[in-house]
Amino acid sequence: MALTLRQLEIFLAVAETGHVTSAAKRIHLTQSAVSMAISEMENILNGPLFDRQGKKLILNDRGRFLLPYAREIVNKVRNIELLLSEPEGELVGHLHVGASSTIGNYVMPYVVSAFTREHPKVYINLVVGNSRQIEQQVEEGVLDIGFIEGLVHSNKIESQEWLTDRLNIIANPQHPLCQKKELSVHDLVDARWIMREEGSGTAEIFKNTISKYISNFEVFLELGHTEAIKKAVEAGMGLSCLSALTVCREVENGWLKILHIPELEITRQLLIIIRKDKLKTNLLREFISFCNFIKDCCQASEICLTSPYKLLQLLEHHQEMVV
Amino acid sequence: MALTLRQLEIFLAVAETGHVTSAAKRIHLTQSAVSMAISEMENILNGPLFDRQGKKLILNDRGRFLLPYAREIVNKVRNIELLLSEPEGELVGHLHVGASSTIGNYVMPYVVSAFTREHPKVYINLVVGNSRQIEQQVEEGVLDIGFIEGLVHSNKIESQEWLTDRLNIIANPQHPLCQKKELSVHDLVDARWIMREEGSGTAEIFKNTISKYISNFEVFLELGHTEAIKKAVEAGMGLSCLSALTVCREVENGWLKILHIPELEITRQLLIIIRKDKLKTNLLREFISFCNFIKDCCQASEICLTSPYKLLQLLEHHQEMVV
DNA sequence: ATATTATCAAAAATTTTGATTGATTTTTTA
DNA sequence: TAAAAAATCAATCAAAATTTTTGATAATAT
């Protein structure tokens, strides 16, 4: 690669003015520097780019061919410099975000879409996996930031508390237990349970907790997907226990009902995780503060992010605060 | 305009290798020059482009944002240089050609050797992969041209039809079915099938097609390599279905026989793919026209490229036409 | 006669190198 | 298994090499 950007710039100036001297003035160089740069280019490209008509330099076919490319390339580099070097300017960048399954499927899509709506030049790549995988990829540096349930294992990672998730026991609204007020664990003895299969963190926590109260606790049906479980519960096949984040929309619409049982009020902390030694770019800092804002709002208003619409409401609020 | 093309090149090398030292080797600079160039860029762009993890340099969001632009710009300038600096006369250059497995193993070697025989100063690097990989590398600009079976996914790529491939059902010549004239699908009910294992495009197409006619279609033996399958069929272990390109030599020599079954006449289009915005150098243009010539000849004469010798015959014909 | 381009050697700026330092990773040893 | 030693790597600095730019001059066109 022998051509330089400088040469392309000089070429543009000459092509556009048609004169070496005026081009030199335009880009604050001496006439001699411009002349030499052009002949160097013609050397590199193995042939002339201009027809010399007396004192004028007029593009020949090769020069005409080069012109649009030179323009495009120079413009592109200028744009990039502007975008990346302006610290106060518009936010740009490619952020790699990871989230565990529940967060990744039920929360992050809204967060990501709201954030990119505010910062259209930002591209966010959302990776969904289990908490272990996400943590590992954050540690490796593949991901800039991760959102997980549960604990952090690596000592290279720092975490901060994000939203609090609640495990809800859900039932079809026509279910007999929904009619009763003041439920207790003992009302659940004869219930049929529909749960995620072995390996789900949510299911495990719930089984451990309820086993303390109900000795012969047994799962009636195991399903592989959260959505399938909700459908089964809606259909009245039994009860289940799922993250509030995954069921709040159905609850709002009255398709499912939550059974409040004092002994089984299980909450768990969602965490934001980042490598300790990670240098926070503007973009990353901004994204974190955006997430923290969402956290504050959710805590204050007990709102659950059931729709992009709700998040947008929060955002307007955010805008006001910024202004 | 502070950034230079050199810096972008260096940035690419570091981003792609993840290390300063290996990047330096790749572009024939010292470790120190590379290190300084990167920090100079980070200066110009007012912030880091990499996370330093011990000895590794991993792109951060700003670096990832820059990467595709850097690639594009560097590629563009390289293309322009190549194109404009190419002298008339003897063809020279390094062509990067990719081909999917069948084409790459059974067709391209002949094409490449014939082409370089005509143009001894040309070096061709032939990469074999699956169609997906080849397409991606053509899109990235790693490959100048690709040859694939199946469809193009990227909208940055233009394709043109090349040879037509046929799936042939093959049998040992002593196989009872070879004695019969006028075969139909129903004659295959009791056949033993030897196929490529799960994941082979060819095997998949065939299974889908024959399942329409034979309900309990079952594979008797799965093997990992095309050559192994041919050997097994030659040994009389059963029938198989393979691309005509891979079996035509054995068929010509009488080691295998093709069973023609009207319902199972499966053909598929082989494609030549190139980035839409690729500047075609003399070399690339010449290579494409060479491939098109081969296509025309194969269509006209129903010849299958079973040997370098046959291709040479075609070439003599080509020479005549040129002269 | 004036203005302009091309060319040359000298000056200025920049890129690259070689050597060194400090950190991290891998291998060896206890 | 843990500690010590060796090897590897990135960053930094000053010197060297290279490239770019200048100032002066010759050649050419209006």
Side-chain angles (χ1 to χ4, degrees), chain B residues 213-229:
Chain B
Y213 300 98
I214 298 185
S215 53
N216 59 340
F217 173 75
E218 216 176 302
V219 174
F220 167 67
L221 177 62
E222 287 198 338
L223 294 172
H225 283 280
T226 304
E227 291 300 318
I229 292 177

PDB file of all heavy atoms in Angstrom, chain B residues 213-229:
ATOM      1  N   TYR B 213     -41.104 -40.266  -2.204  1.00  0.00           N
ATOM      2  CA  TYR B 213     -41.522 -41.466  -2.933  1.00  0.00           C
ATOM      3  C   TYR B 213     -41.435 -42.716  -2.078  1.00  0.00           C
ATOM      4  O   TYR B 213     -42.203 -43.642  -2.231  1.00  0.00           O
ATOM      5  CB  TYR B 213     -40.654 -41.652  -4.178  1.00  0.00           C
ATOM      6  CG  TYR B 213     -40.741 -40.488  -5.125  1.00  0.00           C
ATOM      7  CD1 TYR B 213     -39.768 -39.492  -5.121  1.00  0.00           C
ATOM      8  CD2 TYR B 213     -41.814 -40.366  -6.010  1.00  0.00           C
ATOM      9  CE1 TYR B 213     -39.847 -38.415  -5.974  1.00  0.00           C
ATOM     10  CE2 TYR B 213     -41.902 -39.287  -6.874  1.00  0.00           C
ATOM     11  CZ  TYR B 213     -40.923 -38.317  -6.861  1.00  0.00           C
ATOM     12  OH  TYR B 213     -41.011 -37.254  -7.702  1.00  0.00           O
ATOM     13  N   ILE B 214     -40.466 -42.747  -1.210  1.00  0.00           N
ATOM     14  CA  ILE B 214     -40.254 -43.945  -0.396  1.00  0.00           C
ATOM     15  C   ILE B 214     -40.408 -43.554   1.062  1.00  0.00           C
ATOM     16  O   ILE B 214     -39.598 -42.822   1.614  1.00  0.00           O
ATOM     17  CB  ILE B 214     -38.850 -44.527  -0.662  1.00  0.00           C
ATOM     18  CG1 ILE B 214     -38.754 -44.939  -2.129  1.00  0.00           C
ATOM     19  CG2 ILE B 214     -38.593 -45.695   0.258  1.00  0.00           C
ATOM     20  CD1 ILE B 214     -37.480 -45.623  -2.494  1.00  0.00           C
ATOM     21  N   SER B 215     -41.490 -44.099   1.663  1.00  0.00           N
ATOM     22  CA  SER B 215     -41.853 -43.575   2.976  1.00  0.00           C
ATOM     23  C   SER B 215     -40.860 -44.011   4.051  1.00  0.00           C
ATOM     24  O   SER B 215     -40.501 -43.240   4.922  1.00  0.00           O
ATOM     25  CB  SER B 215     -43.267 -44.026   3.348  1.00  0.00           C
ATOM     26  OG  SER B 215     -43.361 -45.432   3.213  1.00  0.00           O
ATOM     27  N   ASN B 216     -40.409 -45.259   3.986  1.00  0.00           N
ATOM     28  CA  ASN B 216     -39.524 -45.722   5.052  1.00  0.00           C
ATOM     29  C   ASN B 216     -38.057 -45.680   4.634  1.00  0.00           C
ATOM     30  O   ASN B 216     -37.285 -46.584   4.931  1.00  0.00           O
ATOM     31  CB  ASN B 216     -39.914 -47.137   5.476  1.00  0.00           C
ATOM     32  CG  ASN B 216     -39.834 -48.095   4.286  1.00  0.00           C
ATOM     33  OD1 ASN B 216     -39.855 -47.650   3.120  1.00  0.00           O
ATOM     34  ND2 ASN B 216     -39.719 -49.372   4.559  1.00  0.00           N
ATOM     35  N   PHE B 217     -37.703 -44.640   3.906  1.00  0.00           N
ATOM     36  CA  PHE B 217     -36.314 -44.500   3.444  1.00  0.00           C
ATOM     37  C   PHE B 217     -35.356 -44.492   4.633  1.00  0.00           C
ATOM     38  O   PHE B 217     -35.575 -43.795   5.613  1.00  0.00           O
ATOM     39  CB  PHE B 217     -36.160 -43.198   2.661  1.00  0.00           C
ATOM     40  CG  PHE B 217     -34.731 -42.904   2.302  1.00  0.00           C
ATOM     41  CD1 PHE B 217     -34.096 -43.607   1.293  1.00  0.00           C
ATOM     42  CD2 PHE B 217     -34.010 -41.947   2.988  1.00  0.00           C
ATOM     43  CE1 PHE B 217     -32.783 -43.343   0.957  1.00  0.00           C
ATOM     44  CE2 PHE B 217     -32.686 -41.675   2.671  1.00  0.00           C
ATOM     45  CZ  PHE B 217     -32.076 -42.388   1.650  1.00  0.00           C
ATOM     46  N   GLU B 218     -34.326 -45.288   4.501  1.00  0.00           N
ATOM     47  CA  GLU B 218     -33.410 -45.422   5.618  1.00  0.00           C
ATOM     48  C   GLU B 218     -31.984 -45.523   5.100  1.00  0.00           C
ATOM     49  O   GLU B 218     -31.737 -46.115   4.056  1.00  0.00           O
ATOM     50  CB  GLU B 218     -33.766 -46.696   6.381  1.00  0.00           C
ATOM     51  CG  GLU B 218     -33.572 -46.556   7.872  1.00  0.00           C
ATOM     52  CD  GLU B 218     -34.047 -47.819   8.569  1.00  0.00           C
ATOM     53  OE1 GLU B 218     -35.246 -48.180   8.407  1.00  0.00           O
ATOM     54  OE2 GLU B 218     -33.216 -48.439   9.221  1.00  0.00           O
ATOM     55  N   VAL B 219     -31.063 -44.921   5.837  1.00  0.00           N
ATOM     56  CA  VAL B 219     -29.655 -44.987   5.443  1.00  0.00           C
ATOM     57  C   VAL B 219     -29.021 -46.203   6.090  1.00  0.00           C
ATOM     58  O   VAL B 219     -29.136 -46.425   7.291  1.00  0.00           O
ATOM     59  CB  VAL B 219     -28.925 -43.710   5.869  1.00  0.00           C
ATOM     60  CG1 VAL B 219     -27.434 -43.840   5.602  1.00  0.00           C
ATOM     61  CG2 VAL B 219     -29.492 -42.521   5.118  1.00  0.00           C
ATOM     62  N   PHE B 220     -28.349 -46.989   5.251  1.00  0.00           N
ATOM     63  CA  PHE B 220     -27.738 -48.226   5.733  1.00  0.00           C
ATOM     64  C   PHE B 220     -26.379 -47.956   6.377  1.00  0.00           C
ATOM     65  O   PHE B 220     -26.003 -48.553   7.372  1.00  0.00           O
ATOM     66  CB  PHE B 220     -27.616 -49.170   4.526  1.00  0.00           C
ATOM     67  CG  PHE B 220     -26.738 -50.354   4.755  1.00  0.00           C
ATOM     68  CD1 PHE B 220     -27.131 -51.339   5.665  1.00  0.00           C
ATOM     69  CD2 PHE B 220     -25.540 -50.510   4.082  1.00  0.00           C
ATOM     70  CE1 PHE B 220     -26.328 -52.457   5.868  1.00  0.00           C
ATOM     71  CE2 PHE B 220     -24.742 -51.614   4.292  1.00  0.00           C
ATOM     72  CZ  PHE B 220     -25.145 -52.598   5.189  1.00  0.00           C
ATOM     73  N   LEU B 221     -25.633 -47.026   5.795  1.00  0.00           N
ATOM     74  CA  LEU B 221     -24.281 -46.739   6.304  1.00  0.00           C
ATOM     75  C   LEU B 221     -23.949 -45.278   6.076  1.00  0.00           C
ATOM     76  O   LEU B 221     -24.175 -44.745   4.995  1.00  0.00           O
ATOM     77  CB  LEU B 221     -23.272 -47.626   5.567  1.00  0.00           C
ATOM     78  CG  LEU B 221     -21.785 -47.428   5.902  1.00  0.00           C
ATOM     79  CD1 LEU B 221     -21.532 -47.743   7.356  1.00  0.00           C
ATOM     80  CD2 LEU B 221     -20.913 -48.296   5.001  1.00  0.00           C
ATOM     81  N   GLU B 222     -23.442 -44.621   7.118  1.00  0.00           N
ATOM     82  CA  GLU B 222     -23.020 -43.226   6.975  1.00  0.00           C
ATOM     83  C   GLU B 222     -21.511 -43.137   7.032  1.00  0.00           C
ATOM     84  O   GLU B 222     -20.877 -43.699   7.926  1.00  0.00           O
ATOM     85  CB  GLU B 222     -23.624 -42.375   8.104  1.00  0.00           C
ATOM     86  CG  GLU B 222     -25.097 -42.140   7.945  1.00  0.00           C
ATOM     87  CD  GLU B 222     -25.583 -40.970   8.805  1.00  0.00           C
ATOM     88  OE1 GLU B 222     -24.888 -40.663   9.780  1.00  0.00           O
ATOM     89  OE2 GLU B 222     -26.626 -40.396   8.465  1.00  0.00           O
ATOM     90  N   LEU B 223     -20.938 -42.415   6.082  1.00  0.00           N
ATOM     91  CA  LEU B 223     -19.478 -42.268   6.052  1.00  0.00           C
ATOM     92  C   LEU B 223     -19.128 -40.789   5.992  1.00  0.00           C
ATOM     93  O   LEU B 223     -19.912 -39.964   5.531  1.00  0.00           O
ATOM     94  CB  LEU B 223     -18.892 -42.993   4.831  1.00  0.00           C
ATOM     95  CG  LEU B 223     -19.045 -44.518   4.866  1.00  0.00           C
ATOM     96  CD1 LEU B 223     -18.615 -45.123   3.546  1.00  0.00           C
ATOM     97  CD2 LEU B 223     -18.228 -45.112   6.013  1.00  0.00           C
ATOM     98  N   GLY B 224     -17.924 -40.470   6.420  1.00  0.00           N
ATOM     99  CA  GLY B 224     -17.541 -39.065   6.554  1.00  0.00           C
ATOM    100  C   GLY B 224     -16.938 -38.462   5.306  1.00  0.00           C
ATOM    101  O   GLY B 224     -16.871 -37.246   5.170  1.00  0.00           O
ATOM    102  N   HIS B 225     -16.509 -39.297   4.356  1.00  0.00           N
ATOM    103  CA  HIS B 225     -15.839 -38.724   3.193  1.00  0.00           C
ATOM    104  C   HIS B 225     -16.411 -39.254   1.888  1.00  0.00           C
ATOM    105  O   HIS B 225     -16.748 -40.430   1.771  1.00  0.00           O
ATOM    106  CB  HIS B 225     -14.338 -39.030   3.251  1.00  0.00           C
ATOM    107  CG  HIS B 225     -13.613 -38.151   4.214  1.00  0.00           C
ATOM    108  ND1 HIS B 225     -13.237 -36.866   3.894  1.00  0.00           N
ATOM    109  CD2 HIS B 225     -13.224 -38.360   5.491  1.00  0.00           C
ATOM    110  CE1 HIS B 225     -12.634 -36.334   4.935  1.00  0.00           C
ATOM    111  NE2 HIS B 225     -12.610 -37.215   5.927  1.00  0.00           N
ATOM    112  N   THR B 226     -16.479 -38.357   0.930  1.00  0.00           N
ATOM    113  CA  THR B 226     -16.983 -38.733  -0.385  1.00  0.00           C
ATOM    114  C   THR B 226     -16.205 -39.902  -0.969  1.00  0.00           C
ATOM    115  O   THR B 226     -16.779 -40.835  -1.533  1.00  0.00           O
ATOM    116  CB  THR B 226     -16.887 -37.519  -1.325  1.00  0.00           C
ATOM    117  OG1 THR B 226     -17.593 -36.435  -0.734  1.00  0.00           O
ATOM    118  CG2 THR B 226     -17.468 -37.838  -2.675  1.00  0.00           C
ATOM    119  N   GLU B 227     -14.891 -39.852  -0.830  1.00  0.00           N
ATOM    120  CA  GLU B 227     -14.069 -40.917  -1.405  1.00  0.00           C
ATOM    121  C   GLU B 227     -14.390 -42.270  -0.777  1.00  0.00           C
ATOM    122  O   GLU B 227     -14.400 -43.299  -1.457  1.00  0.00           O
ATOM    123  CB  GLU B 227     -12.582 -40.594  -1.239  1.00  0.00           C
ATOM    124  CG  GLU B 227     -12.099 -39.433  -2.087  1.00  0.00           C
ATOM    125  CD  GLU B 227     -12.284 -39.683  -3.582  1.00  0.00           C
ATOM    126  OE1 GLU B 227     -12.005 -40.814  -4.035  1.00  0.00           O
ATOM    127  OE2 GLU B 227     -12.761 -38.766  -4.278  1.00  0.00           O
ATOM    128  N   ALA B 228     -14.656 -42.252   0.516  1.00  0.00           N
ATOM    129  CA  ALA B 228     -14.986 -43.497   1.211  1.00  0.00           C
ATOM    130  C   ALA B 228     -16.303 -44.063   0.691  1.00  0.00           C
ATOM    131  O   ALA B 228     -16.454 -45.273   0.513  1.00  0.00           O
ATOM    132  CB  ALA B 228     -15.076 -43.238   2.707  1.00  0.00           C
ATOM    133  N   ILE B 229     -17.230 -43.171   0.415  1.00  0.00           N
ATOM    134  CA  ILE B 229     -18.523 -43.627  -0.098  1.00  0.00           C
ATOM    135  C   ILE B 229     -18.361 -44.277  -1.465  1.00  0.00           C
ATOM    136  O   ILE B 229     -18.895 -45.354  -1.740  1.00  0.00           O
ATOM    137  CB  ILE B 229     -19.498 -42.430  -0.191  1.00  0.00           C
ATOM    138  CG1 ILE B 229     -19.834 -41.950   1.222  1.00  0.00           C
ATOM    139  CG2 ILE B 229     -20.754 -42.817  -0.943  1.00  0.00           C
ATOM    140  CD1 ILE B 229     -20.712 -40.735   1.262  1.00  0.00           C
TER     141      ILE B 229
END
